[in-house]
Amino acid sequence: MKKVLKLAVIGVLLAETAGAAVDCNQSEWSLVTDRYVCLSSELKKMNNEVRQAEEKLSFRIREATQNLKALQEKSDGGENDAAVKAERNKRVAERLKTEADFLEQVRERLRSKQQQIAKCRDQKCLNEGYGALKDILQSSRSVKECGRLEIPQECEIYLFSEKDTGTRSRSESISDNYYTFESRVKVNRPGKCVYLFLSSQYARVWNLLATKDTDLRQVFVGADDYQTVRGYPEKTAVKIGLKSDLAKNAEMCFNRYMTAEEAKEFLARHQIEAGRINVVYDGKIGDNAPLDQYAVSDRAVGVRQAQGLRPREEGWQQLIEARKARKLSAADIERMKNDGVVNLDNENFYLKFSDYKFLWQYAGQGLDGYVITENIDRMPTGAEHENVFLAPGVIPPSDLKLEQTFKDMARKPDMFSRAYMMLPLKKAPQFADCNFPANMAEKVICADDELRQRNQDLKKAVAEVKEKDEQRAADAYIAYAAYRLQGCTNRCCLLDVYDKAVQWFDKKQYSEKFKEKEPVRCQLKNIDDDCEVYAYSSYNGSKKEKDLFISDQSLTYSTDVKINRPGKCVVLLLSSSYPMIWNIYTTPQTDLRAVLAGGHYEQMIRGMKAGVQTKNRHGNRMNDSNDRCLNYYYGSDEIVAAVEELNIGLKNVQVLSQPTVGEEVELSAYEYSPQIVDGEFLSLGIQPEEAGLEQLIEEGKIRKVGKEDIAAIKAAGYSFIDGVSPQEYRDPFRYGGMRVYLMLRQFVKMPAGLAGADRVILMIPEDLKMPDNNGGHSDYYNVSGTADQWQAQEIGGQK
């Protein structure tokens, strides 16, 4: 009972953090939109109306908090009949929890709308945004309680929580957030009354087939995205509840995605015994019946078609049909190689061949993407790893999520597109003219003394750039700065852009980047024309090293390279996508002249004879020497072209499928000198990836959660505090706790390399501090109880 009350209090306290309106009484505003709102009498009036409505909402939240606290105190005593007291408190707690959940949804809608308002760049957008805020707050004035769901005892109850994403619909698109999926549900229970509960996390079309003698009384759908139900019998009632619909379907509150276990708990709150609930996993209820026994109808309820831009390639196709985008072509690539392109993710200006050659190294394998040809409000959602090119003059869409800081770039939730601005521009962007400010951002700049002065400084610096041979680079930097300014949402961002841009033009930092330099050569000595050249590329290592490390970012691998070419001059080229120790074994009569190694991470060349030339470089260290040689990971089909670009006279490169040159002989016939090394072994405080996790476990700082831990954590209560997961995925046990760890002692930094599929979840007791994510994607959760209690597992009634 205390747990229920505690969770309810937490939910209400979270809701109290809502604050969509601006406080115009403060002396400084961080957001551009906040400043503009408070400078506009019309918007300031609307803002104050929203603030008043928020204050009323806050009063309700405080009142609910006080009621919960009072109920919590009463639950500790005062009545002789414990059963009566418990039942009464349970009903009241459920009612208060319902209101807390409702207010939490209001808070989320307010926060989401406020994020949209922050992107506004004109008064029309702000007017619509504040109108929407008022509508949301208006809807919070009344909340329906979850009424008791009455299901006759003679009726059967079936629950199908569908997680399958392999059934993507090719004909339906009912969501603008993600793909639409389809599921078939066949119901064959002749003479039986059936209640069906369906739940989905994604947009889904449910195709129902019920036999003619089945009394499919009612279908309830709870989901996080739009749903459609088709084919149900005429007498069947269908109710669809969505997470975003607030009080819609509140008579039974089945209005979100629930796992099978969560749905069972929901039904239990409606006094439905567990024995009545049948969980379905394959969409089949009852035995299969001949198709002619199923009733067929064209009835459909729910969303018929996505109203806006569809997700992924469907949305790109819409933009192409509207002539606002097109597929990247070979002609585009050649044009960019000539005219230049700016990488909006990392501020690299590709204005000459030596700048962009690595950008196009995969072009021969089909570099693709989309070119946005006209300004658009947003891009299709879910466009993972897509190359997005802005045609000259096109402004980045708002959801390109440019961070506008010049030092930390490309935070793009829900998508991982790579963004580029094509050159040359059709028309150079202009900086703010404070005599005639053209838009909201310019009005804000011109109303701020410091920003107005920075704007003038930048215009002056740009005007002084007159050298013809620098004009092309200057135009690119001008465009980049102007686009950054248009995308800024706060004052700090504007100042950062002005500071960096003035440095470019005052100090002419762009000049050195733009000037062509002499080609960088790989410097090898005494390489005869008849030397045999061999290349071997490894996507990963043949052996994972347990105790040796040459990189602090990834585990280290090793590969044995055996060379047996008596009397021959040999040059060896090696490339790896992982940190690699290349163990070089040569027969005594082999004349190994040089070994070149390169990759994404640190490399090591080890064991060669004294006097063998070595060139060891990797992508993170490519600029530390003019003697570059191989700097990146090149696949087997790329390494020959990479060698040709070095222009050092190495010809007839033979690509090896195995790291063996010549006939392989017994290992004792090769020479290996482990003391001769080109590279560096590292002594790491915290090892990377899985090795680091094992190290922390051995040191008693974390442990892998087990079934008892999971039960205890759920009983104690937990909350998300930081990480990369969007809100709808913040469930540490959604995959059964496979990569969940419990922190037991304080440490400073997580192991490096815990990104993507290797990320973990760390549960942090209330007396420990969150460690640095160390460039990873791990999620952090607070969990009630101290580290000592969790060490002894004296939490949640478990010891």
Side-chain angles (χ1 to χ4, degrees):
M1 185 63 217
K2 290 182 180 179
K3 174 193 167 188
V4 173
L5 293 174
K6 181 178 181 181
L7 290 175
V9 172
I10 291 173
V12 173
L13 289 176
L14 282 173
E16 196 169 0
T17 63
V22 184
D23 180 6
C24 289
N25 295 318
Q26 54 189 339
S27 58
E28 184 63 61
W29 299 278
S30 60
L31 290 179
V32 173
T33 46
D34 291 356
R35 178 177 291 272
Y36 186 67
V37 165
C38 295
L39 291 174
S40 167
S41 57
E42 180 182 352
L43 286 169
K44 185 175 180 180
K45 179 180 178 182
M46 294 179 66
N47 177 74
N48 290 339
E49 292 175 356
V50 170
R51 280 184 61 83
Q52 291 175 5
E54 283 187 301
E55 288 174 1
K56 294 179 181 179
L57 177 62
S58 297
F59 175 79
R60 287 182 59 206
I61 293 171
R62 288 193 296 271
E63 186 178 43
T65 305
Q66 292 169 358
N67 291 338
L68 280 167
K69 185 177 180 181
L71 180 62
Q72 207 167 15
E73 293 171 352
K74 286 183 180 180
S75 67
D76 293 329
E79 293 187 27
N80 294 325
D81 193 336
V84 172
K85 178 185 67 176
E87 181 61 28
R88 183 207 67 193
N89 286 351
K90 182 178 180 181
R91 289 196 302 271
V92 176
E94 287 179 353
R95 177 179 60 79
L96 291 172
K97 182 63 168 59
T98 299
E99 183 169 4
D101 289 344
F102 179 81
L103 294 176
E104 172 69 8
Q105 292 184 41
V106 173
R107 182 185 70 86
E108 287 301 319
R109 290 190 69 190
L110 287 171
R111 180 174 294 175
S112 175
K113 180 54 64 176
Q114 180 60 24
Q115 290 173 350
Q116 295 177 26
I117 292 175
K119 300 174 185 176
C120 286
R121 290 295 175 270
D122 57 65
Q123 185 154 344
K124 179 176 180 293
C125 176
L126 286 168
N127 285 338
E128 293 174 350
Y130 271 89
L133 287 176
K134 291 171 67 176
D135 291 342
I136 294 171
L137 288 163
Q138 180 70 27
S139 71
S140 71
R141 294 183 179 179
S142 61
V143 54
K144 299 178 183 179
E145 296 181 21
C146 291
R148 180 60 57 82
L149 180 63
E150 302 292 345
I151 299 179
Q153 283 292 327
E154 68 273 11
C155 292
E156 299 176 347
I157 301 172
Y158 293 91
L159 171 64
F160 184 21
S161 183
E162 174 67 290
K163 297 185 293 184
D164 181 22
T165 56
T167 55
R168 179 186 164 195
S169 176
R170 299 294 173 176
S171 59
E172 306 283 346
S173 182
I174 63 175
S175 171
D176 57 4
N177 292 319
Y178 200 65
Y179 288 139
T180 297
F181 301 95
E182 291 199 49
S183 293
R184 172 176 286 191
V185 182
K186 298 172 69 176
V187 187
N188 178 27
R189 297 297 291 158
K192 301 291 186 179
C193 161
V194 173
Y195 276 68
L196 179 59
F197 291 83
L198 305 173
S199 184
S200 176
Q201 186 176 1
Y202 299 104
R204 193 171 298 275
V205 176
W206 301 92
N207 297 294
L208 295 185
L209 287 174
T211 49
K212 299 171 185 177
D213 294 332
T214 297
D215 179 12
L216 183 57
R217 189 77 53 88
Q218 200 154 9
V219 177
F220 296 96
V221 183
D224 293 349
D225 204 342
Y226 293 125
Q227 305 287 295
T228 296
V229 181
R230 293 192 307 207
Y232 53 90
E234 181 179 1
K235 295 182 179 180
T236 301
V238 178
K239 292 187 177 180
I240 299 175
L242 298 181
K243 186 176 182 179
S244 59
D245 285 342
L246 291 179
K248 181 179 178 180
N249 219 31
E251 70 276 16
M252 46 93 58
C253 295
F254 194 73
N255 61 349
R256 63 180 178 84
Y257 166 67
M258 298 183 189
T259 64
E261 291 303 315
E262 290 173 332
K264 285 181 181 179
E265 293 176 5
F266 161 79
L267 293 171
R269 292 198 296 270
H270 288 270
Q271 308 300 313
I272 296 175
E273 301 87 355
R276 296 184 62 194
I277 304 170
N278 302 285
V279 179
V280 178
Y281 297 100
D282 57 2
K284 296 178 182 178
I285 299 173
D287 297 330
N288 285 324
L291 286 178
D292 59 2
Q293 293 185 17
Y294 289 93
V296 178
S297 78
D298 58 359
R299 296 180 190 86
V301 64
V303 177
R304 299 297 183 94
Q305 184 65 56
Q307 298 300 310
L309 192 63
R310 299 177 192 175
R312 295 200 174 185
E313 66 264 24
E314 296 174 356
W316 285 113
Q317 188 58 41
Q318 282 181 273
L319 292 175
I320 291 172
E321 291 173 357
R323 297 187 177 182
K324 295 183 177 181
R326 56 179 168 78
K327 290 285 290 184
L328 183 72
S329 66
D332 290 321
I333 294 174
E334 294 306 313
R335 191 177 303 116
M336 283 187 283
K337 286 183 178 181
N338 180 63
D339 295 336
V341 61
V342 179
N343 186 331
L344 295 176
D345 290 338
N346 61 18
E347 301 165 8
N348 284 337
F349 287 70
Y350 302 107
L351 301 173
K352 55 188 184 298
F353 181 77
S354 58
D355 284 335
Y356 60 67
K357 64 180 180 181
F358 294 111
L359 175 66
W360 310 115
Q361 65 177 315
Y362 298 109
Q365 300 177 26
L367 177 70
D368 60 6
Y370 295 93
V371 180
I372 300 177
T373 56
E374 291 186 17
N375 293 339
I376 58 177
D377 295 330
R378 67 180 184 86
M379 295 191 300
T381 57
E384 297 176 0
H385 307 294
E386 200 73 76
N387 290 308
V388 179
F389 296 84
L390 305 176
V394 173
I395 297 173
S398 61
D399 59 349
L400 205 56
K401 303 294 183 189
L402 301 184
E403 192 69 7
Q404 324 297 349
T405 64
F406 289 104
K407 51 189 175 182
D408 182 22
M409 189 51 214
R411 309 254 63 86
K412 294 188 275 240
D414 303 323
M415 59 177 298
F416 309 95
S417 296
R418 294 176 286 269
Y420 303 92
M421 181 179 73
M422 299 168 70
L423 299 172
L425 300 177
K426 295 178 180 177
K427 180 180 179 182
Q430 301 297 314
F431 298 104
D433 179 357
C434 288
N435 293 316
F436 304 99
N439 54 45
M440 186 187 78
E442 292 188 4
K443 291 178 183 178
V444 171
I445 291 168
C446 296
D448 185 292
D449 291 341
E450 184 176 6
L451 290 174
R452 185 171 64 251
Q453 184 59 50
R454 298 290 181 89
N455 182 69
Q456 290 302 111
D457 293 342
L458 178 56
K459 293 175 71 174
K460 181 180 177 181
V462 170
E464 292 176 355
V465 179
K466 301 181 183 297
E467 294 86 353
K468 184 176 181 181
D469 61 339
E470 296 177 354
Q471 193 61 50
R472 180 164 161 246
D475 286 346
Y477 278 80
I478 290 169
Y480 194 49
Y483 285 156
R484 292 287 201 178
L485 290 170
Q486 292 179 27
C488 280
T489 60
N490 59 65
R491 187 173 185 271
C492 181
C493 169
L494 292 168
L495 290 172
D496 283 345
V497 173
Y498 280 128
D499 285 344
K500 185 65 175 287
V502 169
Q503 287 178 14
W504 286 340
F505 296 109
D506 269 357
K507 300 179 181 179
K508 302 189 185 301
Q509 291 181 353
Y510 58 85
S511 299
E512 286 303 312
K513 277 195 171 185
F514 181 67
K515 291 178 181 176
E516 290 285 356
K517 299 178 182 179
E518 289 297 318
V520 176
R521 301 176 66 89
C522 181
Q523 300 167 7
L524 295 178
K525 300 177 182 178
N526 302 322
I527 304 299
D528 302 333
D529 290 340
D530 61 351
C531 283
E532 298 177 350
V533 183
Y534 297 93
Y536 177 70
S537 178
S538 172
Y539 180 72
N540 54 30
S542 56
K543 177 185 176 183
K544 183 185 294 185
E545 294 292 342
K546 184 176 182 181
D547 299 317
L548 298 178
F549 298 95
I550 62 174
S551 170
D552 61 359
Q553 296 298 308
S554 179
L555 293 176
T556 296
Y557 295 79
S558 66
T559 293
D560 294 342
V561 183
K562 301 173 183 177
I563 312 167
N564 178 25
R565 294 293 290 160
K568 298 294 184 180
C569 165
V570 175
V571 175
L572 189 61
L573 309 166
L574 303 170
S575 185
S576 172
S577 62
Y578 285 81
M580 183 71 75
I581 299 173
W582 299 99
N583 295 307
I584 310 299
Y585 291 81
T586 54
T587 51
Q589 301 305 316
T590 297
D591 180 13
L592 180 62
R593 295 283 179 90
V595 181
L596 284 63
H600 284 321
Y601 294 93
E602 290 86 342
Q603 306 287 297
M604 175 179 282
I605 309 171
R606 186 183 191 189
M608 55 281 177
K609 300 175 185 178
V612 174
Q613 299 178 73
T614 58
K615 303 295 181 182
N616 180 9
R617 292 288 180 267
H618 60 86
N620 295 327
R621 201 175 63 179
M622 65 171 292
N623 292 319
D624 67 353
S625 169
N626 287 331
D627 189 14
R628 291 186 179 179
C629 300
L630 296 178
N631 295 100
Y632 289 93
Y633 164 66
Y634 297 94
S636 298
D637 54 348
E638 301 167 326
I639 198 164
V640 173
V643 172
E644 289 177 353
E645 285 189 14
L646 294 176
N647 194 26
I648 55 178
L650 296 180
K651 301 177 181 178
N652 303 318
V653 180
Q654 302 179 60
V655 180
L656 303 170
S657 59
Q658 297 293 330
T660 303
V661 178
E663 181 182 356
E664 186 171 2
V665 296
E666 293 291 331
L667 190 63
S668 59
Y670 295 95
E671 293 181 345
Y672 177 72
S673 303
Q675 74 277 10
I676 301 179
V677 173
D678 183 351
E680 182 181 1
F681 286 110
L682 302 180
S683 177
L684 302 178
I686 179 66
Q687 298 169 6
E689 300 181 12
E690 297 294 336
L693 294 174
E694 293 175 6
Q695 177 185 348
L696 291 172
I697 291 173
E698 291 175 0
E699 294 173 355
K701 294 177 179 177
I702 64 172
R703 75 163 177 254
K704 187 82 166 60
V705 303
K707 291 183 178 180
E708 291 185 357
D709 285 318
I710 293 174
I713 290 170
K714 289 182 176 180
Y718 58 87
S719 60
F720 179 87
I721 54 174
D722 192 40
V724 300
S725 294
Q727 182 168 356
E728 59 267 27
Y729 298 138
R730 292 174 187 173
D731 176 4
F733 307 116
R734 65 194 302 250
Y735 297 117
M738 291 175 58
R739 292 184 64 79
V740 182
Y741 293 81
L742 181 64
M743 189 175 182
L744 301 174
R745 288 169 49 197
Q746 191 66 59
F747 58 92
V748 176
K749 186 179 292 187
M750 290 288 282
L754 299 180
D758 295 323
R759 69 187 186 91
V760 300
I761 293 170
L762 186 66
M763 312 298 296
I764 304 173
E766 56 193 25
D767 60 336
L768 297 181
K769 296 180 180 179
M770 182 175 66
D772 189 314
N773 222 326
N774 199 11
H777 298 157
S778 297
D779 286 342
Y780 297 130
Y781 288 77
N782 268 141
V783 60
S784 298
T786 66
D788 288 343
Q789 288 174 314
W790 281 106
Q791 189 78 265
Q793 207 178 53
E794 296 176 347
I795 297 289
Q798 302 199 26
K799 295 185 179 180

